[in-house]
Amino acid sequence: MLRFDILSIFPEMFQSPFDASLIKKALEKGLIEIHLHDIRDYALDKHHVTDDTPYGGGGGMVMKVEPVERALASIIGEKAEAMVILMTPQGEVFNQGVAESLSSCDHIVIVCGHYEGLDERIRQYLIDREISIGDYVLTGGEFAAMVLVDAVSRLVPGVLGNSNSAVFDSFSTGLLEYPQYTRPAEYRGWKVPEVLLSGNHRQIDAWRKKASLKRTRSRRPDLLTKRHLTDDEKKILEELEME
Ligand code: SAM
């Protein structure tokens, strides 16, 4: 079971996304737990203020250190095994490899920033890992946290109906996935490749391998340079070069 604790000043943003589809089922089956925490509940003053103007001037507000520190202390206490993640555009860029590494954790605590971001001391003293979901700036860390929870949760054993379905997913193999088709075999004259209807699994596997390499070569050639190619894959790529 993987437990997530999410700290945010807008915890209500998570209700609907986590109340549908596979995440809802994973919660119902007890494969994951998600606990939402309002950082405002940990503010020290009676108005529950969680942000203040930046030292040194400049626009915008900065999230204060005390409420976040108090929230973390109450959630994880002395437990060293929790992985505390800050969602930030300045962090390592999230990808399938990072999702796989996080899926073996027992407890992930996610801190979502807002406004101009958080007091730097939060990053310095309270965080284990900083993660960005891409080179763009969001209004807050909530959507980024949803992306992380979704991508990590589907890798927890039992969450996907068919345990094989993550194996050939794009990026899991270092390649983009081959194209998928379902019934009908023909629609408006648009046909499914004949080989997929043949029932010949050796030929289907060969077609899929080639299609996956072809797609990766045309859309994400950078993935091929990072991958250790087998002799078979090198041969297929040479064939594609000739076509
Ligand atoms: N001023 C900050 C900077 O330039 O790095 C950006 C602050 S952003 C408006 C507010 C919050 O949104 C951040 O503290 C972070 O939690 C979240 N955020 C924004 N973009 C993100 C991204 N690409 N990945 C993860 N979190 C992001």
Side-chain angles (χ1 to χ4, degrees), residues 49-151:
V49 174
T50 57
D51 57 296
D52 206 339
T53 53
Y55 275 125
M61 301 297 275
V62 175
M63 287 177 64
K64 292 160 70 64
V65 65
E66 312 97 290
V68 174
E69 191 277 332
R70 282 163 49 85
L72 286 172
S74 118
I75 294 161
I76 53 178
E78 298 304 309
K79 280 185 275 167
E81 64 269 22
M83 165 74 71
V84 184
I85 296 175
L86 174 66
M87 303 314 305
T88 164
Q90 302 182 16
E92 67 179 303
V93 179
F94 191 60
N95 63 22
Q96 193 67 14
V98 177
E100 274 162 21
S101 74
L102 294 176
S103 69
S104 57
C105 292
D106 294 324
H107 189 187
I108 295 175
V109 180
I110 305 174
V111 180
C112 303
H114 231 89
Y115 313 121
E116 277 309 305
L118 303 102
D119 186 306
E120 180 69 4
R121 290 167 292 183
I122 295 171
R123 189 192 66 72
Q124 266 180 304
Y125 298 110
L126 302 172
I127 298 296
D128 297 315
R129 203 159 171 178
E130 299 171 50
I131 294 182
S132 161
I133 61 159
D135 291 347
Y136 42 81
V137 178
L138 301 161
T139 52
E142 287 74 15
F143 289 116
M146 288 174 211
V147 167
L148 186 147
V149 170
D150 189 276

Side-chain angles (χ1 to χ4, degrees), residues 209-226:
K209 168 65 90 176
K210 187 170 180 180
S212 172
L213 283 163
K214 187 174 181 181
R215 182 155 281 197
T216 309
R217 178 174 163 271
S218 70
R219 297 184 183 197
R220 292 292 306 274
D222 58 302
L223 295 177
L224 292 178
T225 59
K226 288 181 210 147

